[in-house]
Amino acid sequence: MGDNLKIPQHVSIIMDGNGRWAKSLGKERIEGHKEGAESVRACLELAVEMKIKYLSLFAFSTENWGRPDEEIHGLWSLMLKSVVNETSNMLKNHVRFMVLGNLEQLPEYLRIAVRDCMKATASCTGTTLVLMLNYSGKWDIVQAANRFFAENPGKTMEREDMDKYLVTSGIPDPDLLIRTSGEERISNYMLWQTAYTEFYFTDILWPDFRKPEFRLALEAFSKRERRFGKV
Ligand code: FPP
């Protein structure tokens, strides 16, 4: 497979359904997140095989702070473990690692671990894995506007300025956005960047979303006709 497929440059995923997956098996929610981390690994592997340039993942939204402390800390330690354990694998597969979002509010140990992994993989030229962490689309637009006007007092903001000041600056807008678990919403994700993105929704819960399910999404994308507002 791979023949005749239009490969998107940037695939973004709203990974949803970890809690429901765990509940359906009578497990704790964190078990769903752990299994979800395996889906992250599988999807990254396929992205590398398919030579997808950017794979971005909505790992924690600014709204997720409303979850119980125990779950939030469980997520941080899971991410810490994944980042530390996967760095050598990323290097081997030429994966560049990036984290985008409001990082100031993250625990220091996690900030250090992601900074180290970003540094170690900075010169990798294969797939870029972008973890959107403590991110929301409205936060991004507001921080972009604030930074622009602080640096350019009295000026008018143009569309290109917004592209440049968003945290995703330099990364092409997502061609394909996948959301799992049957939810069909943008949920304050990349609001500006998804203006012409193709959306793909599936009922599969994130821990069950592995290479075959990712391939189906890529096949569906391949059949879409993108006109960008033209005829
Ligand atoms: C959504 O499921 C999932 C999250 C908010 C967290 C995503 C985190 C992971 C996949 C864990 C590991 C991440 C990395 C990058 C290694 P949910 O909890 O909202 O599920 P529900 O809607 O069924 O409750």
Side-chain angles (χ1 to χ4, degrees), residues 15-20 29 33 59 64 67 78 82 131 206:
M15 310 178 287
D16 202 0
N18 294 351
R20 276 163 282 167
R29 291 179 60 84
H33 296 315
N64 287 152
R67 295 186 177 212
L78 184 57
S82 305
L131 219 53
W206 176 247

Side-chain angles (χ1 to χ4, degrees), residues 171-205:
I171 299 176
D173 287 343
D175 301 293
L176 171 63
L177 174 71
I178 299 170
R179 182 166 189 163
T180 58
S181 88
E183 309 292 344
E184 302 188 351
R185 290 185 292 279
I186 191 80
S187 294
N188 201 3
Y189 190 41
M190 294 194 209
L191 300 176
W192 176 274
Q193 299 90 331
T194 51
Y196 279 102
T197 298
E198 295 292 328
F199 286 36
Y200 177 87
F201 299 112
T202 170
D203 288 339
I204 306 275
L205 303 174

Side-chain angles (χ1 to χ4, degrees), residues 22 24 27 31 40 45-46 52 55 70 90 111 116 132 142 158 162 188-189 215:
S24 74
K27 298 180 182 215
E31 296 304 319
V40 169
E45 234 175 74
L46 186 65
I52 292 169
L55 176 66
E70 192 191 342
M90 288 189 222
R111 282 207 309 263
D116 289 351
M132 308 301 285
V142 169
E158 304 294 338
M162 183 60 89
N188 201 3
Y189 190 41
R215 276 198 190 99

Side-chain angles (χ1 to χ4, degrees), residues 16 94 96 148 152 176:
D16 202 0
H94 314 289
R96 179 169 63 139
F148 173 82
N152 302 278
L176 171 63

Side-chain angles (χ1 to χ4, degrees), residues 30 60 64-78 109:
I30 193 66
F60 193 88
N64 287 152
W65 289 106
R67 295 186 177 212
D69 280 354
E70 192 191 342
E71 181 175 350
I72 296 176
H73 290 124
L75 277 169
W76 298 151
S77 35
L78 184 57
Y109 62 84

